[in-house]
């Protein structure tokens, strides 16, 4: 059973794998880091360039002890600056890198858009596809380049991360202000797994079968992923990139950067 599960997991991870020769400007791409703990996302804009969102040049950042786990799981990096890459702007975390530096030795994958419900639910891991429809590639590239110059707000691993950035560039959709979760599928996966386990716990009073409990947890997890996908949510709006950066500049859209001493907490609803 364990071998069958592992084989299926590896197979699903390989589904979105692509060759560099098939890349097109406007593609949302990503690469898994060590042990598949997280993936880093960006938008390919042509000429071997990828625009992506970081926290002060770092791929991840929560402002908590979780950073140690995530960063230590990432690839080892050459500290010599690549002459073809644009150094991170001190004012914001949107950067332009060559494809090699973006991949950091990892494998290239393409994020899927307009997938059907069956395909979406078949993916055991979030952050690989969405039900949402992508805009034309020239618009996607325009958004990415505009945000490279103007920023995408403060980085937040759960509310405003690299996947949120790439999904916005592809769709123009943003979760409305006051959000408890951004549009990132892998953030939902990180939180959704524990929540699914907690919510399925009451089933122990109905069945003591461990397989039944596991099936219930998986069902709750899949339902949470489906309901929070950017293509299904009701709390989203289409925002033009020029309007977004104007609103960010005057504080109408704002993501609060976490305090370095902040504790990790699950989002709450009122």
């Amino acid at each position: 059973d364990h071998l069958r599960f592992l084989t299926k997991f590896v197979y699903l991870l390989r589904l979105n794998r692509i060759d560099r020769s098939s890349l097109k400007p406007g593609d949302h791409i990503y690469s898994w880091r060590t042990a598949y703990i997280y993936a880093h996302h960006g938008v390919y804009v042509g000429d071997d360039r990828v625009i992506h969102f970081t926290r002060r040049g770092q791929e991840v950042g929560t402002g908590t002890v979780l950073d140690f786990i995530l960063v230590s799981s990432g690839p080892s990096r050459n500290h010599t600056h690549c002459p073809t890459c644009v150094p991170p702007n001190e004012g914001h975390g949107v950067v332009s890198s060559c494809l090699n530096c973006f991949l950091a030795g990892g494998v290239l994958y393409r994020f899927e858009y307009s997938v059907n419900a069956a395909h979406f639910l078949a993916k055991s891991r979030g952050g690989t596809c969405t039900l949402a429809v992508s805009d034309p590639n020239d618009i996607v590239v325009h958004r990415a380049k505009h945000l490279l110059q103007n920023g995408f707000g403060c980085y937040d691993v759960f509310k405003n991360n690299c996947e949120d950035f790439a999904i916005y560039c592809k769709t123009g959709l943003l979760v409305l202000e006051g959000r408890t979760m951004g549009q990132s599928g892998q953030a939902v996966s990180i939180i959704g797994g524990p929540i699914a386990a907690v919510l399925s716990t009451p089933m122990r009073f109905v069945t003591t079968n461990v397989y039944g409990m596991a099936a219930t947890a998986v069902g709750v997890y899949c339902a949470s992923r489906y309901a929070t996908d950017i293509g299904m949510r009701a709390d989203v709006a289409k925002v033009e990139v020029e309007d977004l950066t104007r609103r960010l500049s005057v504080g109408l859209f704002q993501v609060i950067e976490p305090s370095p001493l902040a504790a990790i907490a699950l989002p709450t609803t009122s």
Side-chain angles (χ1 to χ4, degrees), residues 140-157:
V140 176
V141 171
H142 168 70
R143 287 183 184 128
K145 289 183 175 180
H146 183 86
L147 294 174
L148 175 63
Q149 297 301 320
N150 296 278
F152 192 60
C154 294
Y155 185 100
D156 186 292
V157 73

Side-chain angles (χ1 to χ4, degrees), residues 10-11 19 29 32 34 50 70 79 82 94 100 122 139 141-142 150 153 181-182 185 187 203 224 232 257 261:
V10 172
Y11 170 73
D19 187 80
I29 61 176
W32 292 103
T34 304
V50 182
L70 294 175
H79 293 290
C82 173
V94 183
N100 282 337
I139 295 177
V141 171
H142 168 70
N150 296 278
M181 178 66 67
M203 288 298 294
S224 69
M232 291 297 297
E257 189 168 11
L261 299 178

Side-chain angles (χ1 to χ4, degrees), residues 26-55:
D27 278 348
H28 172 174
I29 61 176
Y30 63 96
S31 182
W32 292 103
R33 298 320 192 204
T34 304
Y36 299 100
I37 291 178
Y38 74 98
H40 189 52
H41 296 246
V43 174
Y44 182 71
V45 295
D47 299 323
D48 199 45
R49 311 301 302 172
V50 182
I51 296 177
H52 51 117
F53 186 43
T54 66
R55 185 173 188 260

